Amino acid sequence: SAVISQKPSRDICQRGTSLTIQCQVDSQVTMMFWYRQQPGQSLTLIATANQGSEATYESGFVIDKFPISRPNLTFSTLTVSNMSPEDSSIYLCSVGTDGTDTQYFGPGTRLTVL
Amino acid sequence: AQTVTQSQPEMSVQEAETVTLSCTYDTSESDYYLFWYKQPPSRQMILVIRQEAYKQQNATENRFSVNFQKAAKSFSLKISDSQLGDAAMYFCAYLFQGAQKLVFGQGTRLTINP
């Protein structure tokens, strides 16, 4: 399985500000995904990060709020914009291993918005 | 739409005993994958076991095994010889073959009593 890192591991932010979360993989992967896990809840897919094209967002998530970049096959960023306390969550990136349909997850970023 | 249901919010087991976590899902598809992920307090999502729907044989990984009942749309996880390190949230997840979106259940918090 791929080795996935995320930065930052945690952050405390003020409302109205933005935070960019980085996801780095140690090998080239086609599919990268961003999930949100609200406190005490399960994971919900935010979007699929496509290399060389716009991200594909799930219902309820919009690009203005969660802009995503995917400049190459090993890296992606998720920005949480104009944050409010409701954005306090764990944000996780995952990668799809080609040919197996299995996703492996990064360690997550715990975001607290005051 | 596909849904995944974990009816046990919490489970506990004595160390060295066996415990079974339940998962049911709803889908009209015939080709899909099912997963169990473990999330310890470190919040890292760790793949425990994977099952392809077209395989009749139940998947096994060391002390972890599944009971996959395709007709009943049931996918339970059995943990044998429970260890303190098994304490975590366990999430059941579904992936339609060729799709990109993992659908997660609500999770089961497993406590191991020494």
Short mmCIF file of all heavy atoms in Angstrom, two decimals, chain B residues 47-108:
data_model
loop_
_atom_site.label_atom_id
_atom_site.label_comp_id
_atom_site.label_asym_id
_atom_site.label_seq_id
_atom_site.Cartn_x
_atom_site.Cartn_y
_atom_site.Cartn_z
N LEU B 47 -7.12 -0.11 6.80
CA LEU B 47 -7.85 -1.18 6.16
C LEU B 47 -7.64 -2.48 6.92
O LEU B 47 -6.51 -2.88 7.19
CB LEU B 47 -7.39 -1.35 4.72
CG LEU B 47 -8.04 -2.49 3.94
CD1 LEU B 47 -9.52 -2.20 3.70
CD2 LEU B 47 -7.32 -2.73 2.62
N VAL B 48 -8.75 -3.11 7.30
CA VAL B 48 -8.68 -4.38 8.03
C VAL B 48 -8.83 -5.56 7.08
O VAL B 48 -8.04 -6.50 7.10
CB VAL B 48 -9.79 -4.44 9.11
CG1 VAL B 48 -9.81 -5.81 9.79
CG2 VAL B 48 -9.60 -3.33 10.14
N ILE B 49 -9.87 -5.48 6.23
CA ILE B 49 -10.17 -6.62 5.37
C ILE B 49 -11.02 -6.16 4.20
O ILE B 49 -11.75 -5.17 4.31
CB ILE B 49 -10.84 -7.75 6.18
CG1 ILE B 49 -10.70 -9.11 5.51
CG2 ILE B 49 -12.29 -7.40 6.48
CD1 ILE B 49 -10.99 -10.27 6.45
N ARG B 50 -10.95 -6.91 3.11
CA ARG B 50 -11.62 -6.54 1.86
C ARG B 50 -12.28 -7.79 1.27
O ARG B 50 -11.69 -8.88 1.31
CB ARG B 50 -10.58 -5.99 0.91
CG ARG B 50 -11.00 -5.73 -0.51
CD ARG B 50 -9.81 -5.15 -1.27
NE ARG B 50 -10.11 -4.86 -2.66
CZ ARG B 50 -9.92 -5.72 -3.66
NH1 ARG B 50 -9.46 -6.93 -3.42
NH2 ARG B 50 -10.23 -5.37 -4.89
N GLN B 51 -13.47 -7.60 0.72
CA GLN B 51 -14.21 -8.72 0.12
C GLN B 51 -14.76 -8.31 -1.25
O GLN B 51 -15.41 -7.27 -1.35
CB GLN B 51 -15.38 -9.14 1.02
CG GLN B 51 -16.30 -10.20 0.47
CD GLN B 51 -15.74 -11.61 0.63
OE1 GLN B 51 -15.20 -11.96 1.67
NE2 GLN B 51 -15.89 -12.42 -0.40
N GLU B 52 -14.47 -9.11 -2.27
CA GLU B 52 -15.09 -8.88 -3.57
C GLU B 52 -16.42 -9.61 -3.62
O GLU B 52 -16.50 -10.77 -3.22
CB GLU B 52 -14.19 -9.39 -4.70
CG GLU B 52 -12.88 -8.64 -4.83
CD GLU B 52 -11.75 -9.28 -4.06
OE1 GLU B 52 -12.02 -9.97 -3.04
OE2 GLU B 52 -10.60 -9.12 -4.46
N ALA B 53 -17.45 -8.97 -4.12
CA ALA B 53 -18.79 -9.56 -4.09
C ALA B 53 -18.89 -10.82 -4.94
O ALA B 53 -19.73 -11.70 -4.67
CB ALA B 53 -19.82 -8.53 -4.55
N TYR B 54 -18.05 -10.93 -5.98
CA TYR B 54 -18.15 -12.09 -6.85
C TYR B 54 -17.50 -13.33 -6.25
O TYR B 54 -17.67 -14.44 -6.76
CB TYR B 54 -17.53 -11.78 -8.22
CG TYR B 54 -16.03 -11.56 -8.20
CD1 TYR B 54 -15.14 -12.64 -8.28
CD2 TYR B 54 -15.50 -10.29 -8.12
CE1 TYR B 54 -13.77 -12.45 -8.26
CE2 TYR B 54 -14.13 -10.08 -8.10
CZ TYR B 54 -13.27 -11.16 -8.17
OH TYR B 54 -11.92 -10.96 -8.16
N LYS B 55 -16.78 -13.15 -5.17
CA LYS B 55 -16.12 -14.29 -4.51
C LYS B 55 -17.03 -14.87 -3.44
O LYS B 55 -17.49 -14.15 -2.55
CB LYS B 55 -14.80 -13.86 -3.90
CG LYS B 55 -13.71 -13.56 -4.91
CD LYS B 55 -12.39 -13.31 -4.20
CE LYS B 55 -11.26 -13.10 -5.23
NZ LYS B 55 -9.95 -12.84 -4.56
N GLN B 56 -17.27 -16.16 -3.51
CA GLN B 56 -18.10 -16.81 -2.50
C GLN B 56 -17.32 -17.06 -1.21
O GLN B 56 -17.89 -17.08 -0.13
CB GLN B 56 -18.66 -18.12 -3.05
CG GLN B 56 -19.68 -17.92 -4.16
CD GLN B 56 -20.31 -19.23 -4.58
OE1 GLN B 56 -19.71 -20.29 -4.41
NE2 GLN B 56 -21.50 -19.17 -5.15
N GLN B 57 -16.01 -17.23 -1.36
CA GLN B 57 -15.19 -17.54 -0.18
C GLN B 57 -15.05 -16.29 0.68
O GLN B 57 -14.74 -15.20 0.18
CB GLN B 57 -13.82 -18.03 -0.61
CG GLN B 57 -12.94 -18.49 0.52
CD GLN B 57 -11.65 -19.11 0.04
OE1 GLN B 57 -11.34 -19.08 -1.15
NE2 GLN B 57 -10.88 -19.67 0.95
N ASN B 58 -15.23 -16.46 1.97
CA ASN B 58 -15.10 -15.36 2.90
C ASN B 58 -13.64 -14.97 3.07
O ASN B 58 -12.76 -15.84 3.22
CB ASN B 58 -15.69 -15.73 4.27
CG ASN B 58 -17.19 -15.84 4.23
OD1 ASN B 58 -17.87 -15.06 3.55
ND2 ASN B 58 -17.74 -16.79 4.96
N ALA B 59 -13.37 -13.66 3.09
CA ALA B 59 -12.00 -13.18 3.26
C ALA B 59 -11.52 -13.39 4.69
O ALA B 59 -12.31 -13.33 5.65
CB ALA B 59 -11.93 -11.70 2.89
N THR B 60 -10.24 -13.63 4.82
CA THR B 60 -9.61 -13.82 6.13
C THR B 60 -8.25 -13.13 6.14
O THR B 60 -7.51 -13.21 5.16
CB THR B 60 -9.40 -15.33 6.42
OG1 THR B 60 -10.67 -15.98 6.43
CG2 THR B 60 -8.74 -15.53 7.77
N GLU B 61 -7.97 -12.43 7.24
CA GLU B 61 -6.67 -11.80 7.45
C GLU B 61 -6.27 -12.05 8.90
O GLU B 61 -6.70 -11.35 9.81
CB GLU B 61 -6.73 -10.29 7.19
CG GLU B 61 -6.87 -9.89 5.75
CD GLU B 61 -5.61 -10.10 4.94
OE1 GLU B 61 -4.52 -10.27 5.55
OE2 GLU B 61 -5.69 -10.10 3.69
N ASN B 62 -5.48 -13.08 9.10
CA ASN B 62 -4.99 -13.42 10.44
C ASN B 62 -6.18 -13.63 11.39
O ASN B 62 -6.98 -14.53 11.18
CB ASN B 62 -4.03 -12.35 10.94
CG ASN B 62 -2.83 -12.20 10.03
OD1 ASN B 62 -2.22 -13.19 9.62
ND2 ASN B 62 -2.49 -10.97 9.68
N ARG B 63 -6.33 -12.78 12.41
CA ARG B 63 -7.41 -12.96 13.39
C ARG B 63 -8.73 -12.40 12.93
O ARG B 63 -9.74 -12.50 13.64
CB ARG B 63 -7.00 -12.30 14.71
CG ARG B 63 -5.76 -12.87 15.36
CD ARG B 63 -5.46 -12.20 16.71
NE ARG B 63 -5.11 -10.77 16.53
CZ ARG B 63 -5.89 -9.77 16.85
NH1 ARG B 63 -7.10 -9.99 17.37
NH2 ARG B 63 -5.49 -8.53 16.68
N PHE B 64 -8.75 -11.77 11.78
CA PHE B 64 -9.95 -11.11 11.27
C PHE B 64 -10.55 -11.93 10.11
O PHE B 64 -9.83 -12.32 9.20
CB PHE B 64 -9.62 -9.70 10.77
CG PHE B 64 -9.07 -8.80 11.83
CD1 PHE B 64 -7.70 -8.77 12.11
CD2 PHE B 64 -9.91 -7.98 12.56
CE1 PHE B 64 -7.20 -7.93 13.10
CE2 PHE B 64 -9.41 -7.13 13.55
CZ PHE B 64 -8.06 -7.11 13.82
N SER B 65 -11.83 -12.16 10.18
CA SER B 65 -12.52 -12.86 9.10
C SER B 65 -13.91 -12.25 8.93
O SER B 65 -14.42 -11.57 9.82
CB SER B 65 -12.62 -14.35 9.39
OG SER B 65 -13.36 -14.58 10.57
N VAL B 66 -14.48 -12.47 7.76
CA VAL B 66 -15.82 -11.94 7.50
C VAL B 66 -16.77 -13.08 7.22
O VAL B 66 -16.38 -14.18 6.82
CB VAL B 66 -15.82 -10.93 6.32
CG1 VAL B 66 -14.93 -9.75 6.63
CG2 VAL B 66 -15.43 -11.62 5.02
N ASN B 67 -18.04 -12.80 7.45
CA ASN B 67 -19.12 -13.67 7.03
C ASN B 67 -19.95 -12.88 6.02
O ASN B 67 -20.73 -12.00 6.38
CB ASN B 67 -19.99 -14.09 8.22
CG ASN B 67 -21.07 -15.07 7.81
OD1 ASN B 67 -21.15 -15.49 6.66
ND2 ASN B 67 -21.91 -15.44 8.75
N PHE B 68 -19.71 -13.17 4.75
CA PHE B 68 -20.34 -12.44 3.66
C PHE B 68 -21.54 -13.24 3.15
O PHE B 68 -21.38 -14.35 2.65
CB PHE B 68 -19.33 -12.21 2.53
CG PHE B 68 -19.90 -11.61 1.28
CD1 PHE B 68 -20.72 -10.50 1.33
CD2 PHE B 68 -19.60 -12.16 0.04
CE1 PHE B 68 -21.24 -9.94 0.18
CE2 PHE B 68 -20.11 -11.61 -1.13
CZ PHE B 68 -20.94 -10.49 -1.06
N GLN B 69 -22.72 -12.67 3.32
CA GLN B 69 -23.95 -13.30 2.85
C GLN B 69 -24.56 -12.38 1.80
O GLN B 69 -25.28 -11.43 2.12
CB GLN B 69 -24.92 -13.48 4.03
CG GLN B 69 -24.38 -14.34 5.16
CD GLN B 69 -24.28 -15.80 4.78
OE1 GLN B 69 -25.05 -16.29 3.95
NE2 GLN B 69 -23.30 -16.49 5.36
N LYS B 70 -24.25 -12.67 0.53
CA LYS B 70 -24.63 -11.74 -0.55
C LYS B 70 -26.14 -11.62 -0.68
O LYS B 70 -26.66 -10.51 -0.87
CB LYS B 70 -24.02 -12.20 -1.88
CG LYS B 70 -24.17 -11.17 -3.00
CD LYS B 70 -23.39 -11.57 -4.23
CE LYS B 70 -23.47 -10.48 -5.30
NZ LYS B 70 -22.69 -10.83 -6.52
N ALA B 71 -26.85 -12.72 -0.61
CA ALA B 71 -28.31 -12.65 -0.78
C ALA B 71 -28.95 -11.85 0.34
O ALA B 71 -29.91 -11.10 0.12
CB ALA B 71 -28.89 -14.06 -0.82
N ALA B 72 -28.43 -11.98 1.53
CA ALA B 72 -28.96 -11.25 2.67
C ALA B 72 -28.37 -9.86 2.78
O ALA B 72 -28.79 -9.06 3.63
CB ALA B 72 -28.70 -12.02 3.96
N LYS B 73 -27.38 -9.53 1.95
CA LYS B 73 -26.69 -8.24 1.98
C LYS B 73 -26.14 -7.96 3.37
O LYS B 73 -26.38 -6.91 3.97
CB LYS B 73 -27.61 -7.12 1.48
CG LYS B 73 -28.02 -7.31 0.02
CD LYS B 73 -28.94 -6.22 -0.48
CE LYS B 73 -29.36 -6.52 -1.93
NZ LYS B 73 -30.33 -5.54 -2.44
N SER B 74 -25.41 -8.95 3.85
CA SER B 74 -24.84 -8.88 5.19
C SER B 74 -23.34 -9.12 5.11
O SER B 74 -22.87 -9.97 4.33
CB SER B 74 -25.50 -9.93 6.09
OG SER B 74 -24.85 -10.03 7.32
N PHE B 75 -22.58 -8.40 5.93
CA PHE B 75 -21.12 -8.45 5.86
C PHE B 75 -20.57 -8.23 7.27
O PHE B 75 -20.19 -7.13 7.64
CB PHE B 75 -20.63 -7.37 4.90
CG PHE B 75 -19.13 -7.35 4.67
CD1 PHE B 75 -18.48 -8.44 4.13
CD2 PHE B 75 -18.39 -6.22 4.97
CE1 PHE B 75 -17.11 -8.42 3.90
CE2 PHE B 75 -17.02 -6.17 4.74
CZ PHE B 75 -16.38 -7.28 4.21
N SER B 76 -20.52 -9.27 8.08
CA SER B 76 -20.09 -9.13 9.47
C SER B 76 -18.60 -9.41 9.59
O SER B 76 -18.01 -10.17 8.80
CB SER B 76 -20.89 -10.04 10.39
OG SER B 76 -20.70 -11.40 10.02
N LEU B 77 -17.99 -8.80 10.59
CA LEU B 77 -16.56 -8.95 10.88
C LEU B 77 -16.38 -9.71 12.18
O LEU B 77 -16.94 -9.30 13.20
CB LEU B 77 -15.88 -7.58 10.99
CG LEU B 77 -14.40 -7.59 11.41
CD1 LEU B 77 -13.53 -8.17 10.30
CD2 LEU B 77 -13.94 -6.18 11.78
N LYS B 78 -15.61 -10.77 12.14
CA LYS B 78 -15.30 -11.53 13.34
C LYS B 78 -13.85 -11.31 13.71
O LYS B 78 -12.95 -11.48 12.88
CB LYS B 78 -15.57 -13.02 13.14
CG LYS B 78 -15.36 -13.84 14.42
CD LYS B 78 -15.80 -15.29 14.27
CE LYS B 78 -14.76 -16.13 13.59
NZ LYS B 78 -15.10 -17.58 13.65
N ILE B 79 -13.64 -10.93 14.97
CA ILE B 79 -12.29 -10.74 15.49
C ILE B 79 -12.06 -11.84 16.52
O ILE B 79 -12.77 -11.90 17.54
CB ILE B 79 -12.11 -9.35 16.13
CG1 ILE B 79 -12.50 -8.25 15.14
CG2 ILE B 79 -10.67 -9.17 16.59
CD1 ILE B 79 -12.50 -6.85 15.73
N SER B 80 -11.10 -12.68 16.27
CA SER B 80 -10.78 -13.78 17.18
C SER B 80 -9.61 -13.38 18.08
O SER B 80 -8.77 -12.56 17.70
CB SER B 80 -10.41 -15.03 16.39
OG SER B 80 -11.43 -15.40 15.50
N ASP B 81 -9.56 -13.98 19.28
CA ASP B 81 -8.46 -13.72 20.21
C ASP B 81 -8.23 -12.20 20.34
O ASP B 81 -7.15 -11.68 20.08
CB ASP B 81 -7.19 -14.41 19.71
CG ASP B 81 -6.03 -14.29 20.66
OD1 ASP B 81 -6.26 -14.11 21.87
OD2 ASP B 81 -4.86 -14.35 20.19
N SER B 82 -9.27 -11.49 20.74
CA SER B 82 -9.21 -10.03 20.81
C SER B 82 -8.03 -9.54 21.64
O SER B 82 -7.73 -10.10 22.70
CB SER B 82 -10.52 -9.49 21.41
OG SER B 82 -11.62 -9.83 20.61
N GLN B 83 -7.41 -8.49 21.14
CA GLN B 83 -6.27 -7.89 21.83
C GLN B 83 -6.58 -6.43 22.16
O GLN B 83 -7.42 -5.80 21.52
CB GLN B 83 -5.03 -7.99 20.93
CG GLN B 83 -4.66 -9.42 20.57
CD GLN B 83 -3.51 -9.52 19.61
OE1 GLN B 83 -2.93 -8.52 19.18
NE2 GLN B 83 -3.15 -10.75 19.25
N LEU B 84 -5.86 -5.91 23.15
CA LEU B 84 -6.12 -4.53 23.58
C LEU B 84 -5.94 -3.55 22.42
O LEU B 84 -6.64 -2.54 22.33
CB LEU B 84 -5.19 -4.16 24.74
CG LEU B 84 -5.40 -4.93 26.03
CD1 LEU B 84 -4.37 -4.50 27.09
CD2 LEU B 84 -6.81 -4.75 26.58
N GLY B 85 -5.04 -3.86 21.52
CA GLY B 85 -4.81 -3.00 20.36
C GLY B 85 -5.92 -3.01 19.34
O GLY B 85 -5.91 -2.20 18.41
N ASP B 86 -6.88 -3.90 19.53
CA ASP B 86 -8.02 -3.93 18.60
C ASP B 86 -9.06 -2.86 18.96
O ASP B 86 -10.00 -2.63 18.19
CB ASP B 86 -8.70 -5.31 18.63
CG ASP B 86 -7.81 -6.40 18.10
OD1 ASP B 86 -6.93 -6.12 17.26
OD2 ASP B 86 -7.99 -7.56 18.54
N ALA B 87 -8.93 -2.24 20.11
CA ALA B 87 -9.89 -1.22 20.51
C ALA B 87 -9.85 -0.06 19.52
O ALA B 87 -8.79 0.52 19.26
CB ALA B 87 -9.57 -0.72 21.92
N ALA B 88 -11.02 0.28 18.97
CA ALA B 88 -11.10 1.31 17.93
C ALA B 88 -12.54 1.46 17.48
O ALA B 88 -13.42 0.70 17.89
CB ALA B 88 -10.22 0.95 16.72
N MET B 89 -12.76 2.45 16.60
CA MET B 89 -14.00 2.51 15.83
C MET B 89 -13.80 1.65 14.59
O MET B 89 -12.76 1.71 13.93
CB MET B 89 -14.30 3.94 15.41
CG MET B 89 -14.86 4.82 16.49
SD MET B 89 -16.53 4.36 16.97
CE MET B 89 -17.45 4.90 15.53
N TYR B 90 -14.81 0.85 14.27
CA TYR B 90 -14.78 0.03 13.08
C TYR B 90 -15.87 0.48 12.12
O TYR B 90 -17.04 0.59 12.50
CB TYR B 90 -14.96 -1.46 13.44
CG TYR B 90 -13.72 -2.05 14.06
CD1 TYR B 90 -13.43 -1.85 15.40
CD2 TYR B 90 -12.81 -2.80 13.29
CE1 TYR B 90 -12.28 -2.39 15.97
CE2 TYR B 90 -11.66 -3.33 13.85
CZ TYR B 90 -11.40 -3.11 15.19
OH TYR B 90 -10.26 -3.64 15.76
N PHE B 91 -15.46 0.74 10.89
CA PHE B 91 -16.40 1.19 9.87
C PHE B 91 -16.49 0.16 8.76
O PHE B 91 -15.48 -0.31 8.22
CB PHE B 91 -15.94 2.52 9.26
CG PHE B 91 -16.01 3.69 10.19
CD1 PHE B 91 -14.90 4.09 10.91
CD2 PHE B 91 -17.20 4.38 10.36
CE1 PHE B 91 -14.97 5.18 11.77
CE2 PHE B 91 -17.28 5.47 11.21
CZ PHE B 91 -16.16 5.87 11.93
N CYS B 92 -17.71 -0.17 8.41
CA CYS B 92 -18.00 -1.00 7.24
C CYS B 92 -18.19 -0.06 6.05
O CYS B 92 -18.77 1.03 6.21
CB CYS B 92 -19.28 -1.79 7.52
SG CYS B 92 -19.86 -2.85 6.18
N ALA B 93 -17.70 -0.44 4.88
CA ALA B 93 -17.80 0.44 3.72
C ALA B 93 -18.07 -0.36 2.46
O ALA B 93 -17.67 -1.53 2.33
CB ALA B 93 -16.52 1.25 3.56
N TYR B 94 -18.74 0.28 1.53
CA TYR B 94 -19.17 -0.32 0.26
C TYR B 94 -18.62 0.51 -0.90
O TYR B 94 -18.57 1.74 -0.84
CB TYR B 94 -20.71 -0.31 0.22
CG TYR B 94 -21.32 -0.56 -1.14
CD1 TYR B 94 -21.77 -1.82 -1.51
CD2 TYR B 94 -21.49 0.48 -2.06
CE1 TYR B 94 -22.35 -2.05 -2.75
CE2 TYR B 94 -22.06 0.26 -3.31
CZ TYR B 94 -22.49 -1.00 -3.64
OH TYR B 94 -23.06 -1.21 -4.87
N LEU B 95 -18.21 -0.19 -1.94
CA LEU B 95 -17.75 0.48 -3.15
C LEU B 95 -18.28 -0.26 -4.36
O LEU B 95 -17.98 -1.45 -4.55
CB LEU B 95 -16.22 0.53 -3.19
CG LEU B 95 -15.60 1.20 -4.41
CD1 LEU B 95 -15.86 2.70 -4.40
CD2 LEU B 95 -14.10 0.94 -4.48
N PHE B 96 -19.05 0.43 -5.19
CA PHE B 96 -19.53 -0.15 -6.43
C PHE B 96 -18.37 -0.26 -7.41
O PHE B 96 -17.61 0.69 -7.58
CB PHE B 96 -20.65 0.72 -6.99
CG PHE B 96 -21.05 0.39 -8.40
CD1 PHE B 96 -21.33 -0.91 -8.77
CD2 PHE B 96 -21.18 1.38 -9.36
CE1 PHE B 96 -21.70 -1.23 -10.06
CE2 PHE B 96 -21.55 1.08 -10.67
CZ PHE B 96 -21.82 -0.22 -11.02
N GLN B 97 -18.20 -1.42 -8.02
CA GLN B 97 -17.08 -1.63 -8.93
C GLN B 97 -17.08 -0.61 -10.05
O GLN B 97 -18.09 -0.39 -10.71
CB GLN B 97 -17.14 -3.04 -9.52
CG GLN B 97 -15.92 -3.38 -10.36
CD GLN B 97 -15.96 -4.80 -10.88
OE1 GLN B 97 -16.99 -5.45 -10.84
NE2 GLN B 97 -14.84 -5.30 -11.34
N GLY B 98 -15.93 0.03 -10.25
CA GLY B 98 -15.82 1.05 -11.27
C GLY B 98 -16.20 2.43 -10.80
O GLY B 98 -15.93 3.41 -11.48
N ALA B 99 -16.81 2.52 -9.64
CA ALA B 99 -17.16 3.83 -9.08
C ALA B 99 -16.00 4.32 -8.21
O ALA B 99 -14.98 3.65 -8.07
CB ALA B 99 -18.44 3.74 -8.28
N GLN B 100 -16.17 5.48 -7.64
CA GLN B 100 -15.08 6.08 -6.88
C GLN B 100 -15.45 6.36 -5.43
O GLN B 100 -14.58 6.61 -4.62
CB GLN B 100 -14.68 7.40 -7.55
CG GLN B 100 -14.26 7.23 -9.00
CD GLN B 100 -14.14 8.54 -9.73
OE1 GLN B 100 -14.48 9.60 -9.19
NE2 GLN B 100 -13.70 8.51 -10.96
N LYS B 101 -16.70 6.29 -5.14
CA LYS B 101 -17.18 6.76 -3.84
C LYS B 101 -17.34 5.62 -2.85
O LYS B 101 -18.15 4.72 -3.06
CB LYS B 101 -18.51 7.48 -4.02
CG LYS B 101 -19.14 8.00 -2.75
CD LYS B 101 -20.45 8.71 -3.06
CE LYS B 101 -21.11 9.23 -1.80
NZ LYS B 101 -22.36 9.95 -2.13
N LEU B 102 -16.58 5.66 -1.76
CA LEU B 102 -16.78 4.74 -0.66
C LEU B 102 -17.97 5.23 0.17
O LEU B 102 -18.00 6.39 0.56
CB LEU B 102 -15.54 4.70 0.24
CG LEU B 102 -14.46 3.66 -0.05
CD1 LEU B 102 -13.27 3.90 0.86
CD2 LEU B 102 -14.98 2.26 0.11
N VAL B 103 -18.90 4.34 0.45
CA VAL B 103 -20.04 4.65 1.30
C VAL B 103 -19.81 3.96 2.64
O VAL B 103 -19.67 2.73 2.69
CB VAL B 103 -21.36 4.20 0.67
CG1 VAL B 103 -22.53 4.52 1.60
CG2 VAL B 103 -21.56 4.88 -0.69
N PHE B 104 -19.80 4.74 3.71
CA PHE B 104 -19.47 4.21 5.03
C PHE B 104 -20.72 4.03 5.88
O PHE B 104 -21.69 4.78 5.78
CB PHE B 104 -18.52 5.16 5.76
CG PHE B 104 -17.11 5.13 5.25
CD1 PHE B 104 -16.71 5.96 4.22
CD2 PHE B 104 -16.18 4.27 5.81
CE1 PHE B 104 -15.42 5.94 3.75
CE2 PHE B 104 -14.87 4.25 5.34
CZ PHE B 104 -14.49 5.08 4.31
N GLY B 105 -20.65 3.03 6.76
CA GLY B 105 -21.64 2.91 7.82
C GLY B 105 -21.33 3.89 8.94
O GLY B 105 -20.36 4.64 8.89
N GLN B 106 -22.17 3.85 9.97
CA GLN B 106 -22.06 4.83 11.05
C GLN B 106 -20.94 4.50 12.03
O GLN B 106 -20.56 5.34 12.85
CB GLN B 106 -23.39 4.92 11.81
CG GLN B 106 -24.58 5.24 10.92
CD GLN B 106 -25.28 3.96 10.45
OE1 GLN B 106 -24.63 2.97 10.09
NE2 GLN B 106 -26.60 3.97 10.46
N GLY B 107 -20.44 3.29 11.98
CA GLY B 107 -19.34 2.90 12.85
C GLY B 107 -19.80 2.17 14.09
O GLY B 107 -20.91 2.38 14.60
N THR B 108 -18.92 1.31 14.60
CA THR B 108 -19.12 0.59 15.87
C THR B 108 -17.89 0.81 16.72
O THR B 108 -16.77 0.51 16.28
CB THR B 108 -19.32 -0.92 15.63
OG1 THR B 108 -20.51 -1.13 14.88
CG2 THR B 108 -19.42 -1.65 16.98
#
